Amino acid sequence: RRKGAMMDNRFATALVIACVLSLISTIYMAASIGTDFWYEYHTLSPAENVSEAGRSIWEEFFSKEADEKTYTDALFRCNGTVGLWRRCITVPKNSHWYSPPENDMTTNCISFSLSDQFMEKYIEPGNHNSGTDLNRTYLWRLQFLLPFVSIGLMCFGALIGLCACACRSLYPAIATGVLHFLAGLCTLGLVGCYVAGIELLHKKLPLPDDVRGEFGWSFCLACVSAPLQFMAAALFIWAARTNRKEFTLLKAYRVA
């Protein structure tokens, strides 16, 4: 009985840890999807402060006709940030010539529409006659779809886990572990697609000398979420398989 109790406690501890890791990874993924700091640009002279050139950059950025080159140039010049759903720039609240440009800065964002997410990328950004860049087009679409697939797999895995608790059985935990493993692959694919997409974009539109780009904390949350999903998957599968093995051995012992 003591040995059986120790085994039960071991399986229960593994499942609790796996559930905690799954919850944390889900929160991290949701936070990364909903925030706008996947990539950040920092410049010493944002939009030439409040000059006429600066104001024209802002107006083009918020225009519905803004193409990839137009809004990317604005991101370069206005301390921009890019998320999976929105792009943002930092501009002065007051753009009058007599207002101190360094004071009262505000962040304004515009959302990518659903059509923007599936829009073709061009070999020369901004030039519709240059042909479709298939690599960047599919990387962009995948980085939009993969996070939702990842969260969906984890939620479905959680539902199976609840059914397992109701049935008082560890066997369905294998399915939960497999789903978490697939979710981890999706998250890892998302991170890879995003990095590749940014690198390809910067080859087409190199950063100006006074602009520095870096991955933001939203991107880091997705990077952390992937190993948490793999760890949760490993614990779920280990608990289910080991419990089945112990049960088989115990049954054979009783028969003997």
Side-chain angles (χ1 to χ4, degrees), residues 94-129:
N94 299 314
S95 58
H96 304 295
W97 65 270
Y98 52 80
S99 300
E102 66 275 6
N103 295 331
D104 296 329
M105 302 297 286
T106 184
T107 299
N108 293 333
C109 301
I110 186 169
S111 299
F112 292 108
S113 66
L114 194 59
S115 59
D116 290 336
Q117 300 287 9
F118 291 94
M119 186 177 293
E120 294 180 346
K121 303 295 181 181
Y122 299 102
I123 296 175
E124 296 179 10
N127 183 0
H128 295 194
N129 298 320

Side-chain angles (χ1 to χ4, degrees), residues 201-219:
L201 174 63
H202 289 165
K203 286 183 179 179
K204 306 287 185 181
L205 299 174
L207 293 174
D209 294 335
D210 60 341
V211 176
R212 176 173 55 89
E214 62 183 10
F215 292 99
W217 59 267
S218 300
F219 174 82

Side-chain angles (χ1 to χ4, degrees), residues 29 33 84-85 143-153 190:
M29 274 301 298
I33 292 173
L84 298 181
W85 277 97
Q143 77 183 31
F144 164 67
L145 294 172
L146 284 176
F148 295 104
V149 175
S150 177
I151 288 184
L153 288 171
L190 160 66

Side-chain angles (χ1 to χ4, degrees), residues 168-187:
R168 297 183 179 180
S169 172
L170 280 177
Y171 297 156
I174 294 180
T176 302
V178 171
L179 290 174
H180 276 72
F181 179 77
L182 294 176
L185 289 179
C186 289
T187 303

